[in-house]
Amino acid sequence: MTVDIVTIFPAMVAEPLKAGVVGRAIDRGLLDVRVRDLRDFTTDRHRVVDDVPYGGGPGMVLKPDPFFRALDAIEAERGAPLTVVLTSPQGRRFTQAEAERLSARPRLVLLCGRYEGFDDRVRERVTDELSIGDYVLSGGELPALVILDAVARLIPGVVGDEQSVAEESFSRGLLDFPQFTRPPEVTVRSATTSAERVLKVPEVLLSGNHAEIRRWRKREALARTLERRPDLLAGAELDEDEKQMLQELRALQGVQHRRMAGGK
Ligand code: SAH
């Protein structure tokens, strides 16, 4: 997969690309990422990328033509068609499903905005306008890195253990089960009450009984999703076992609610 990131701050994205899973994917040739400086696609002596908004108002707007030239150059080098993503708080929400869709595209381009954003005519060359959440950032560089990271780890071979990708939060519409590692017992001071407690790893995980462990993990994933993100359950892919467990968990939740409403 080829990825081209167009930005006025190349240094801001270059360094993070060297680390971790994405860095390794690039080293191993699974990902071919190039960072393009938007200023390289200007034609004036001062390499100007922004201008005042027509109609007045505060701030500056990114000029359209440097983006057009950048996209022409990328297409000439990488081939067509390009999947061109515009980062924008006005875009469709970026989700795991969007990441999966993009991970199947051979040529990805990520356009990073700045200031008040892009001249609206840039959208003519864009295939997907994506937002990473309902908040406004000062630039599209962090969103581009977020999107690239989520997409890269779905490319076969990038994350060593395919199983771990398949079982993660959102992959089936459920949150992940809780994880533990050594030591089996730790003393910890609570962030909210400052009380000290000894916390043990759930017994079943030390049992070596793999069938039991699988059941426990399924149940915990369901319980967590029900508690934190019940909205996800409507779209989740559940097996018969999980449907049964979910029914039990919901019944239990109902009992707890009635108790709270009835008692004081
Ligand atoms: N005035 C614009 C926002 C400009 S913010 C508007 O209201 O739509 C500057 C740039 O940061 C944007 O062009 C975009 O590239 C990026 N950006 C800011 N918030 C973002 C978000 N939630 N998701 C994706 N990109 C975002």
Side-chain angles (χ1 to χ4, degrees):
M1 177 179 210
T2 71
V3 181
D4 294 272
I5 303 175
V6 182
T7 167
I8 61 169
F9 294 125
M12 196 176 161
V13 290
E15 206 56 33
L17 291 174
K18 294 179 189 162
V21 167
V22 171
R24 222 174 323 123
I26 294 171
D27 289 343
R28 289 163 56 210
L30 296 167
L31 254 184
D32 176 359
V33 184
R34 281 200 57 180
V35 182
R36 320 262 178 175
D37 189 339
L38 186 64
R39 285 186 203 285
D40 292 345
F41 303 96
T42 53
T43 50
D44 61 307
R45 206 156 55 86
H46 299 290
R47 314 217 307 156
V48 175
V49 290
D50 58 334
D51 206 337
V52 295
Y54 273 121
M60 300 296 275
V61 175
L62 288 171
K63 292 158 68 62
D65 42 306
F67 283 105
F68 299 156
R69 279 190 290 271
L71 287 167
D72 288 343
I74 293 166
E75 194 174 281
E77 193 181 314
R78 305 293 210 182
L82 300 173
T83 300
V84 181
V85 173
L86 183 94
T87 56
S88 153
Q90 302 178 29
R92 195 162 68 234
R93 182 75 64 84
F94 182 65
T95 59
Q96 190 68 18
E98 289 287 342
E100 270 160 28
R101 204 172 52 74
L102 292 179
S103 72
R105 301 293 169 83
R107 291 172 289 271
L108 191 61
V109 182
L110 299 164
L111 304 182
C112 307
R114 278 275 153 182
Y115 318 119
E116 299 303 313
F118 307 82
D119 180 300
D120 215 66
R121 292 166 293 181
V122 171
R123 289 183 165 81
E124 193 68 18
R125 297 279 305 256
V126 164
T127 60
D128 298 83
E129 184 167 340
L130 297 175
S131 163
I132 63 161
D134 289 344
Y135 40 81
V136 178
L137 298 164
S138 50
E141 288 76 14
L142 294 172
L145 288 168
V146 165
I147 292 168
L148 173 55
D149 191 288
V151 168
R153 51 202 308 294
L154 295 172
I155 298 170
V158 166
V159 173
D161 189 352
E162 304 288 323
Q163 181 80 1
S164 84
V165 174
E167 283 182 357
E168 258 162 347
S169 295
F170 305 114
S171 61
R172 285 189 313 131
L174 292 180
L175 301 181
D176 206 354
F177 50 78
Q179 301 274 15
F180 297 89
T181 185
R182 278 175 286 197
E185 235 180 76
V186 281
T187 306
V188 53
R189 191 159 39 78
S190 159
T192 48
T193 66
S194 291
E196 275 204 354
R197 283 212 294 159
V198 176
L199 295 183
K200 289 184 179 173
V201 172
E203 205 69 48
V204 56
L205 297 179
L206 311 175
S207 70
N209 183 335
H210 294 289
E212 280 291 310
I213 291 171
R214 250 193 318 277
R215 273 191 72 74
W216 181 85
R217 285 180 164 170
K218 272 186 177 183
R219 202 181 155 85
E220 289 295 315
L222 284 164
R224 285 216 154 172
T225 312
L226 186 61
E227 183 189 316
R228 300 180 184 193
R229 293 293 308 277
D231 58 298
L232 293 176
L233 289 168
E237 299 162 29
L238 304 181
D239 62 28
E240 286 310 313
D241 232 17
E242 287 167 326
K243 284 180 191 159
Q244 174 76 33
M245 283 178 187
L246 184 59
Q247 236 171 25
E248 287 165 18
L249 287 166
R250 279 196 165 123
L252 211 64
Q253 206 183 34
V255 169
Q256 278 160 359
H257 280 163
R258 279 195 293 282
R259 255 194 219 135
M260 280 198 288
K264 38 170 206 165

